Amino acid sequence: MAQTYEELGDNDRALAALAEYVEKFPEDYTGYLDLARIQRRQGDLDSARDYLERAIIIEPRMPELLGELASLDLSTGRFESALSGYEGALASSRAPAQRTAALEGLREYYRFRGQMEEAIGMADARLDEAHAWQTPMQVAQDRFSDIDLYLDAGRYDDAVALFEELRSQLPPPVSDYQVPHWEIHIALGAEDGEAARGAYHAALDAMEAAEFGVLRPALTGDLGRIEELDGNYDVAVANYRDTMAQDPGRNFHRRTGRALRKAGRLDEAEEELREALRLRPADPRTHLEMALVLEAQGDTARAMEHLRSALAAWEFADESFEPAREARALLGAR
């Protein structure tokens, strides 16, 4: 019942149903885990932590729970606890699927902190584990996400090489959508708006032909990035907001705030970025974006506070990691 309410977007009734469930079955950790996930999506991070800690009391060595708490620690800036939690999840894992999930968590930890070479190392280790239990097609589908990892690391050629390796490994109709979808990301990485737009239309046609409507939010978000690249900032804002309306679980507030800043709508940008930080308080990219907004508003003091918050997360970032370089340069110029 809770899952049904959640799918309908009625989080209040989902929470009520889960509260009733855990009252009847207090020894089942899954009820607390589901409560934590909904509360986290709503931005009630303290309640999410409380539910996760209750679940861990019931199952203290459950890798899934340790990984969930580590993810929450990462989002709230408890970096040492986050790393310890992810490593604990890996140490507690017994099955290949559990180890794969734990390594994915470590990949996201290092990516969040700008340690991109470490993140790529975790992606490689995750791939080794995945081969032990996933089909080749499942492995290929999951590996597509590493294209964005390489792009974030500034390794465009490696992203292209991975894309070329994977594009032939999926059969139709999956490939009909997945290949042009990731072509969008490759084109955006090269700042080629025309190619990205062409790939978007190909992916949209494939999605509609196969009736894969569940993929529409991802494509709408991609279109927002294309419009932003082409300087159509107000249109990009509309697409980002449409993405979140289609899938409330997607946090596109930072992207929306960035496009609003570029459109000169600074007050709206600040409001959007506040919401992004409410949901993920330690996100360094959001802190950097907020600093840019505040600087444009002439509020240098608060801009510097957000730059320091960004650099706290990026304390050990790779020297080549461009967002951290930008934050250091901005702070050093003040």
Side-chain angles (χ1 to χ4, degrees), residues 41-60:
R41 284 200 303 272
Q42 292 186 316
D44 189 348
L45 304 185
D46 290 337
S47 293
R49 181 178 299 280
D50 180 59
Y51 285 127
L52 281 175
E53 288 173 347
R54 291 192 210 181
I56 289 172
I57 289 172
I58 298 169
E59 293 286 351

Side-chain angles (χ1 to χ4, degrees), residues 61-68 70 82-107 110 122 125-126 129:
R61 294 189 61 78
M62 175 69 69
E64 181 183 16
L65 297 177
L66 297 175
E68 284 282 342
L83 181 56
S84 176
Y86 283 127
E87 290 176 339
L90 182 59
S92 298
S93 296
R94 295 293 175 263
Q98 291 177 325
R99 288 192 291 273
T100 300
L103 288 164
E104 188 169 310
L106 282 165
R107 179 190 67 181
Y110 287 117
M122 291 300 109
R126 181 198 176 285
E129 286 291 343

Side-chain angles (χ1 to χ4, degrees), residues 1-311:
M1 186 180 296
Q3 184 178 359
T4 300
Y5 283 133
E6 202 176 344
E7 289 172 354
L8 292 171
D10 192 339
N11 287 323
D12 290 340
R13 288 188 179 182
L15 287 169
L18 284 168
E20 183 178 347
Y21 179 84
V22 298
E23 186 177 347
K24 290 182 178 179
F25 304 99
E27 298 306 311
D28 183 359
Y29 77 91
T30 63
Y32 296 109
L33 176 59
D34 289 342
L35 279 165
R37 286 171 171 167
I38 294 175
Q39 295 285 24
R40 184 174 176 185
R41 284 200 303 272
Q42 292 186 316
D44 189 348
L45 304 185
D46 290 337
S47 293
R49 181 178 299 280
D50 180 59
Y51 285 127
L52 281 175
E53 288 173 347
R54 291 192 210 181
I56 289 172
I57 289 172
I58 298 169
E59 293 286 351
R61 294 189 61 78
M62 175 69 69
E64 181 183 16
L65 297 177
L66 297 175
E68 284 282 342
L69 185 57
S71 176
L72 182 59
D73 282 335
L74 181 61
S75 289
T76 54
R78 303 184 183 192
F79 300 127
E80 290 184 8
S81 294
L83 181 56
S84 176
Y86 283 127
E87 290 176 339
L90 182 59
S92 298
S93 296
R94 295 293 175 263
Q98 291 177 325
R99 288 192 291 273
T100 300
L103 288 164
E104 188 169 310
L106 282 165
R107 179 190 67 181
E108 293 312 305
Y109 169 85
Y110 287 117
R111 184 177 185 176
F112 187 96
R113 304 209 66 188
Q115 296 172 260
M116 303 306 296
E117 295 307 312
E118 290 280 0
I120 290 168
M122 291 300 109
D124 291 341
R126 181 198 176 285
L127 176 62
D128 291 340
E129 286 291 343
H131 280 301
W133 65 283
Q134 290 184 324
T135 67
M137 189 175 82
Q138 288 174 319
V139 171
Q141 283 191 281
D142 286 348
R143 286 191 74 203
F144 271 105
S145 65
D146 287 338
I147 290 171
D148 281 342
L149 183 65
Y150 282 117
L151 292 174
D152 281 352
R155 291 169 56 172
Y156 177 78
D157 290 345
D158 290 327
V160 172
L162 179 58
F163 173 72
E164 294 297 336
E165 175 189 341
L166 296 174
R167 66 183 303 166
S168 63
Q169 295 181 18
L170 298 179
V174 176
S175 62
D176 294 342
Y177 168 80
Q178 284 280 38
V179 169
H181 170 67
W182 287 102
E183 280 180 331
I184 297 170
H185 291 226
I186 293 292
L188 288 169
E191 298 188 347
D192 186 341
E194 183 178 354
R197 198 175 292 275
Y200 163 79
H201 287 295
L204 182 64
D205 289 345
M207 181 200 75
E208 292 177 343
E211 298 183 350
F212 290 161
V214 69
L215 303 171
R216 189 175 297 277
L219 272 185
T220 305
D222 286 341
L223 181 58
R225 292 176 62 197
I226 294 167
E227 298 292 0
E228 186 179 351
L229 178 63
D230 286 348
N232 304 320
Y233 303 126
D234 292 330
V235 180
V237 168
N239 277 289
Y240 290 146
R241 287 178 170 164
D242 192 19
T243 299
M244 291 187 286
Q246 293 173 21
D247 181 359
R250 290 179 185 265
N251 178 1
F252 270 38
H253 294 289
R254 175 175 58 82
R255 294 185 184 185
T256 307
R258 183 183 63 209
L260 285 165
R261 172 180 61 82
K262 292 176 180 178
R265 297 159 62 181
L266 298 179
D267 290 343
E268 291 178 77
E270 184 179 352
E271 182 179 352
E272 201 75 37
L273 293 169
R274 279 202 206 100
E275 179 63 12
L277 289 172
R278 186 181 74 84
L279 296 171
R280 207 175 193 197
D283 183 8
R285 291 178 182 267
T286 305
H287 281 291
L288 174 57
E289 186 58 47
M290 182 69 90
L292 295 172
V293 169
L294 293 171
E295 183 180 46
Q297 291 174 326
D299 192 341
T300 303
R302 281 204 299 151
M304 290 179 67
E305 290 176 11
H306 284 281
L307 287 173
R308 292 190 186 99
S309 294
L311 290 171

